[in-house]
Amino acid sequence: MFTPYQNTVSIDRYQCGINCPLLVIAGPCALQEEYNRKIADTLLRLNNELPVNIVFKGSFDKANRSSIDSRRGPGLETGLAMLKQIKEEIGLPVCTDIHETSQAEQVAEVCDLLQIPAFLARQTDLLTAAAVAAQRYNRAVHVKKGQFMSPSEMQNVVAKMEASGCRNVLLGERGTFFGYGRLVNDMQSLVIMRQFAPVVFDATHSVQEPAGLGKTTGGNREMIEPLARAAAAVGIDALFLETHPEPEKSPSDGPNMILLDNLEGFLKRVIKIREAAM
């Protein structure tokens, strides 16, 4: 019998875990000054109207790009200034990715949730730096399971974080490589990882499709909701997704984003399933 992790994780004023409201980590893929405010305003309204706790997520740098020509984001200093403004003016907790140990301290000064990308989930020095910075500033860390890792291996990730002083850890599922980069979701991963920490289902990155000979990663947004519904039925503590009012104008991941106008209905349907499964 798999027993879910019983403790909760603190992210700013929120609690994430068993019997807590669904945590939603959402926002644009890469931060864009012309869209950040519109997305954040919508997320704040949904946070106030729905039984969810929303964290605004935006990346200052998309370091893992398909092509040298791909757009990456506004950079660390500018990106953190954008996130700080959203936190102070909109009032939502904020989240961003870190890719290097040197970024952990600076990001933790601003962001309530530090995120470790899936390709970096086994990088001990990065995990340690994130854990130390998170502990110092009373933050939390979301580590996405590597597409090449089994869910049981994520127990080692939690052990690394705890050994470095951080117990505020979330584990994310975003699919596993099948063949030449195609992602497949094994819903057993949610059950297995939920033994070690509250679990996050990354609905939008799970529908990514490899770039192949092209320069950008594709995706199939029509599959986002079916997968999110399935994950909610299995049991999740948080949902990660990227959203944009004009996905075709996003510098990355546009094909696998939820349209901002469709987000409210999407969340309502997923929440109903999660509540029925609790």
Side-chain angles (χ1 to χ4, degrees), residues 13-14 40-54 90-93 264 267:
R13 58 190 181 272
Y14 303 150
D41 283 340
T42 298
L43 294 177
L44 178 64
R45 178 180 64 80
L46 296 178
N47 189 72
N48 293 336
E49 295 177 359
L50 301 179
V52 294
N53 292 326
I54 296 182
I90 306 297
L92 290 173
E264 181 173 359
L267 287 176

Side-chain angles (χ1 to χ4, degrees), residues 226-239:
L227 288 174
R229 288 184 180 191
V234 170
I236 55 174
D237 304 295
L239 184 66

Side-chain angles (χ1 to χ4, degrees), residues 23 126 129 141 149 190 209 221 249 263:
L23 182 76
L126 183 62
V141 182
M149 295 173 66
L190 300 171
E209 296 175 352
R221 69 169 56 94
K249 295 184 180 179
L263 183 58

Side-chain angles (χ1 to χ4, degrees), residues 26-28 31-48 54-57 82-83 85-94 243-245 260 263:
L31 290 162
Q32 291 177 275
E33 186 172 9
E34 63 270 34
Y35 291 105
N36 292 339
R37 184 67 185 242
K38 178 177 177 61
I39 296 170
D41 283 340
T42 298
L43 294 177
L44 178 64
R45 178 180 64 80
L46 296 178
N47 189 72
N48 293 336
I54 296 182
V55 175
F56 178 93
K57 179 268 171 186
M82 291 176 176
L83 289 164
Q85 183 178 27
I86 289 166
K87 183 175 179 179
E88 293 178 350
E89 296 182 6
I90 306 297
L92 290 173
V94 295
T243 184
H244 199 286
L260 188 64
L263 183 58

Side-chain angles (χ1 to χ4, degrees), residues 145 151 154 171-173 189-197 199:
K145 178 179 75 65
M154 294 301 285
L171 298 179
E173 161 63 23
S189 295
L190 300 171
V191 179
I192 294 169
M193 290 196 299
R194 210 178 188 198
Q195 299 173 99
F196 317 137
V199 71

Side-chain angles (χ1 to χ4, degrees), residues 10-12 87 103-114 129-141 164-166 168:
S10 300
I11 301 106
D12 188 59
K87 183 175 179 179
Q103 297 171 346
E105 183 83 10
Q106 202 167 346
V107 169
E109 289 184 29
V110 174
C111 295
D112 305 279
L113 182 62
L114 284 67
V132 171
Q135 179 67 11
R136 180 174 294 123
Y137 291 95
N138 195 28
R139 309 304 195 190
V141 182
S164 303
C166 178
N168 265 349

Side-chain angles (χ1 to χ4, degrees), residues 115-118 121 142-146 154 171-172 174 202 205 240:
Q115 186 165 273
I116 307 296
H142 172 210
V143 186
K144 295 188 179 183
K145 178 179 75 65
M154 294 301 285
L171 298 179
R174 57 145 300 163
D202 182 344
H205 285 109
F240 177 99

Side-chain angles (χ1 to χ4, degrees), residues 141-238:
V141 182
H142 172 210
V143 186
K144 295 188 179 183
K145 178 179 75 65
Q147 302 94 325
F148 46 86
M149 295 173 66
S150 70
S152 59
E153 289 179 82
M154 294 301 285
Q155 188 171 14
N156 294 328
V157 168
V158 174
K160 290 177 183 180
M161 301 294 292
E162 291 183 344
S164 303
C166 178
R167 295 183 178 273
N168 265 349
V169 182
L170 306 175
L171 298 179
E173 161 63 23
R174 57 145 300 163
T176 300
F177 285 146
F178 184 83
Y180 288 100
R182 185 173 184 272
L183 294 172
V184 172
N185 288 103
D186 179 0
M187 293 300 172
Q188 296 175 93
S189 295
L190 300 171
V191 179
I192 294 169
M193 290 196 299
R194 210 178 188 198
Q195 299 173 99
F196 317 137
V199 71
V200 184
F201 182 68
D202 182 344
T204 49
H205 285 109
S206 289
V207 302
Q208 276 186 337
E209 296 175 352
L213 296 177
K215 291 187 175 183
T216 59
T217 299
N220 181 6
R221 69 169 56 94
E222 292 182 2
M223 296 305 297
I224 295 172
E225 184 163 337
L227 288 174
R229 288 184 180 191
V234 170
I236 55 174
D237 304 295

